[in-house]
Amino acid sequence: MRVLEGEKVTKYFGGLAAVSNVDFHVDKGEIFGLIGPNGAGKTTLFNLISAALPLKSGVIKFRGERISGLKPHQICRLGVARTFQAVKIFPNMPVIQNVLLGSMFGTPTAMSSADATRQATELVEFVGLSAVSATSVKDLTLLNQKRVEVARALATKPELLLLDELMAGLNPTEVAQSMELVTTIQGRGITIFMIEHVMKAIMNVCGRIMVLHHGEKIADGTPQEIATSKKVIEVYLGE
Ligand SMILES: Nc1ncnc2c1ncn2[C@@H]1O[C@H](COP(=O)(O)OP(=O)(O)O)[C@@H](O)[C@H]1O
Ligand SMILES: [Mg+2]
């Protein structure tokens, strides 16, 4: 089943086609990867899916229903959560409260505050932050701040999770831990669409990958197909 589908998705910034006529789909349960050089349009595509930006043309469907035109909070409550390339958390609030925001404002149906607290506590533990649950997120490492964002996104009970460069800026050990986290989230039945620069991560965890270049889709396929695609190799060697 297709969880997410895009048809001829297009976005201009002035005269620049940041995303141009991109067709894609994400199947239920998979980890779908999105790669491409800096400025390829990857984050813009996530902004279009989550309605942080309006489409110029094309259609985006979630579970077969058109979501283009909805507001970001509506899309979140339908079951699409995201993280940000540059983490967007509330720096002076403790970990648990950042996560609680997801439980209290992003879920499809309202939760009692006791249930929200229980769920947020469980998610803080799930991402490995129980020991710093009461710490202000500004005092955490980048890895842990990213984990707060993941926990907050999960707190909205998503069916689809969009991860924008979760591994950027992390050391190899942290990358390995993050890869494990991503596969564990998939194990919970959540479909994942991830943008990633760390090739090892994308090649190891994704079932399928799409490549954007100057806003256009230049390839999609299995990691093996992408790694051996002449077009993709040219783009990366020419970078
Ligand atoms: N809000 C914006 N206003 C104007 N131009 C933008 C905006 N966001 C992104 N861009 C431009 O669109 C292109 C794609 O950016 P982006 O989607 O962030 O690329 P990526 O995430 O693949 O590195 C870039 O040329 C970028 O400068
Ligand atoms: Mg980006």
Side-chain angles (χ1 to χ4, degrees):
M1 186 195 130
R2 292 190 169 180
V3 170
L4 189 72
E5 257 175 293
E7 288 163 24
K8 303 217 174 310
V9 174
T10 301
K11 177 71 187 177
Y12 277 80
F13 293 116
L16 172 82
V19 174
S20 182
N21 275 310
V22 173
D23 290 327
F24 68 93
H25 69 270
V26 185
D27 290 324
K28 189 166 178 60
E30 76 171 332
I31 302 180
F32 184 54
L34 173 54
I35 63 172
N38 265 327
K42 305 181 297 296
T43 296
T44 301
L45 183 60
F46 273 19
N47 285 336
L48 297 172
I49 296 166
S50 58
L53 290 170
L55 284 172
K56 171 166 170 41
S57 58
V59 180
I60 297 174
K61 292 179 186 167
F62 176 62
R63 291 192 305 229
E65 303 273 342
R66 187 190 184 107
I67 55 169
S68 347
L70 296 182
K71 299 266 183 289
H73 71 272
Q74 295 174 311
I75 291 173
C76 177
R77 285 179 191 160
L78 278 177
V80 182
R82 70 173 296 187
T83 66
F84 295 86
Q85 187 169 348
V87 287
K88 292 193 185 185
I89 41 187
F90 293 91
N92 294 311
M93 275 167 54
V95 170
I96 185 74
Q97 281 186 16
N98 269 277
V99 179
L100 257 173
L101 289 173
S103 309
M104 295 179 76
F105 299 110
T107 55
T109 51
M111 296 171 92
S112 70
S113 67
D115 283 347
T117 304
R118 201 172 307 122
Q119 182 196 253
T121 306
E122 189 265 326
L123 286 169
V124 168
E125 189 185 349
F126 174 70
V127 298
L129 296 179
S130 290
V132 290
S133 184
T135 305
S136 296
V137 294
K138 67 175 187 312
D139 298 326
L140 302 182
T141 61
L142 177 64
L143 171 71
N144 285 344
Q145 290 184 350
K146 289 184 168 205
R147 286 178 169 175
V148 173
E149 255 203 341
V150 170
R152 183 181 58 190
L154 292 175
T156 68
K157 299 191 174 167
E159 182 171 339
L160 174 68
L161 178 62
L162 310 176
L163 299 170
D164 194 348
E165 298 208 24
L166 185 64
M167 329 245 174
L170 303 184
N171 69 39
T173 313
E174 294 170 335
V175 167
Q177 290 169 349
S178 298
M179 282 164 56
E180 199 182 315
L181 179 63
V182 170
T183 47
T184 314
I185 294 168
Q186 181 195 30
R188 291 187 151 205
I190 295 168
T191 305
I192 294 168
F193 187 3
M194 61 188 280
I195 296 173
E196 199 52 70
H197 255 109
V198 179
M199 279 298 164
K200 182 170 184 271
I202 208 106
M203 291 294 164
N204 277 313
V205 304
C206 295
R208 286 189 311 124
I209 297 167
M210 163 164 85
V211 188
L212 286 185
H213 183 44
H214 295 318
E216 291 181 9
K217 180 166 93 173
I218 60 160
D220 60 12
T222 63
Q224 181 64 24
E225 286 164 350
I226 294 301
T228 53
S229 154
K230 273 211 176 88
K231 227 169 170 179
V232 175
I233 292 167
E234 262 172 38
V235 162
Y236 274 93
L237 292 179
E239 212 181 351

